[in-house]
Amino acid sequence: MDLCWDLRWEEHGWERLAPGVGRRRLPGWDATAGLVVGEDSVLLYDTGATLQDGAGLRAGVRSLLGERRVTHVALSHPHFDHVLGTATFPGVEVYGAVGMARLLSGGGPGLYEEAVRLGADADGTARAVEALVVPRHEVSGELVLELGGGRRAVLVNVGPGHTAHDLAVLVPGASAGAGAASAGSGAPAAPPVVFCGDLVEESGEPQAGPDAIPARWPAALDRLLALGGEDAVYVPGHGAVVDAAFVRAQREALARRFGGS
């Protein structure tokens, strides 16, 4: 497998986070989409707010990886800015937290209204909701996806918190020679990467809408911190990459704001 692509993330519009792991900040609502590349399979975490977002991500993967395509999609939670691009990845295996498929069946309550209220194009949103893809695989605890070449992604139902259906993805740390990287076995260790969804936000205060469960949000962040540890790279649903100290501070702020242990 040609691994030269792993040095060229930025050239193709991605931010490289670790060997074989990157993300893209999408226009409009600054939502993050994550990418985890193994020798056999490619995982995309979230698909954007529109079919155009999804098409842009698909083109971005093609630009980075050539003929390879996304094989798995994991959806962080059932909000429009993270799920409405999924239909542009036909044939993929789609994962979500348990209960998310039932919630999104029939177009998902309030997806269209919320998107349009926040400025999305009405016609485009209607098309995206009509084409909405619900998760086929639901995660109640942890699920390990083996992506090939030693690359694995651990899907973890860490909620409730931001919603009742929050799914994080851990990419364990490894030597830079493992998985989708080309360096030798003596290369320095790469940190774990945790895709947090909107349980963590950097570009603004965490948003607690009507479907949030704020009293349990701090405990969800405790689970994220236990998952990644002190040295992990934490990737918010919106905003810049952060560290464990940021997540811990946000956890304390949420506990003061909403209560919860």
Side-chain angles (χ1 to χ4, degrees):
M1 176 180 168
D2 180 6
L3 299 173
C4 294
W5 59 267
D6 199 42
L7 305 176
R8 303 196 304 265
W9 289 84
E10 284 73 17
E11 294 177 23
H12 298 279
W14 299 87
E15 177 184 355
R16 185 180 187 271
L17 305 173
V21 186
R23 66 95 176 244
R24 177 175 285 196
R25 292 170 71 170
L26 300 173
W29 292 272
D30 190 29
T32 279
L35 193 66
V36 186
V37 183
E39 287 188 2
D40 303 322
S41 303
V42 178
L43 170 70
L44 181 68
Y45 181 69
D46 282 347
T47 60
T50 65
L51 294 173
Q52 289 77 12
D53 279 350
L57 287 168
R58 187 179 61 194
V61 171
R62 179 73 177 269
S63 175
L64 179 67
L65 299 179
E67 294 299 320
R68 302 194 62 195
R69 65 177 184 89
V70 171
T71 55
H72 301 71
V73 164
L75 299 174
S76 64
H77 63 287
H79 285 170
F80 81 94
D81 49 332
H82 299 265
V83 304
L84 285 183
T86 309
T88 58
F89 297 92
V92 302
E93 300 293 335
V94 182
Y95 298 77
V98 67
M100 187 174 175
R102 179 175 53 81
L103 181 68
L104 291 180
S105 294
L111 275 183
Y112 173 84
E113 292 78 8
E114 181 73 357
V116 172
R117 182 180 70 82
L118 292 174
D121 173 73
D123 291 340
T125 300
R127 289 192 295 272
V129 170
E130 184 177 359
L132 184 65
V133 176
V134 303
R136 178 183 174 190
H137 307 280
E138 294 196 295
V139 182
S140 59
E142 296 187 4
L143 177 66
V144 177
L145 297 179
E146 297 288 354
L147 303 178
R151 173 72 62 218
R152 61 175 48 184
V154 186
L155 280 54
V156 187
N157 187 337
V158 292
H162 178 65
T163 71
H165 312 286
D166 294 311
L167 187 72
V169 171
L170 165 70
V171 185
S175 71
S182 57
S185 59
V193 177
V194 181
F195 292 100
C196 306
D198 285 3
L199 285 166
V200 179
E201 295 196 41
E202 186 277 334
S203 55
E205 186 173 306
Q207 298 301 300
D211 58 345
I213 306 177
R216 298 181 66 179
W217 200 331
L221 294 186
D222 288 338
R223 287 189 284 274
L224 277 182
L225 288 164
L227 190 66
E230 285 301 305
D231 297 327
V233 173
Y234 292 89
V235 187
H238 303 265
V241 169
V242 300
D243 59 13
F246 181 96
V247 177
R248 191 172 297 106
Q250 195 155 93
R251 181 247 188 254
E252 294 305 318
L254 285 165
R256 288 192 301 269
R257 179 180 171 191
F258 296 119
S261 59

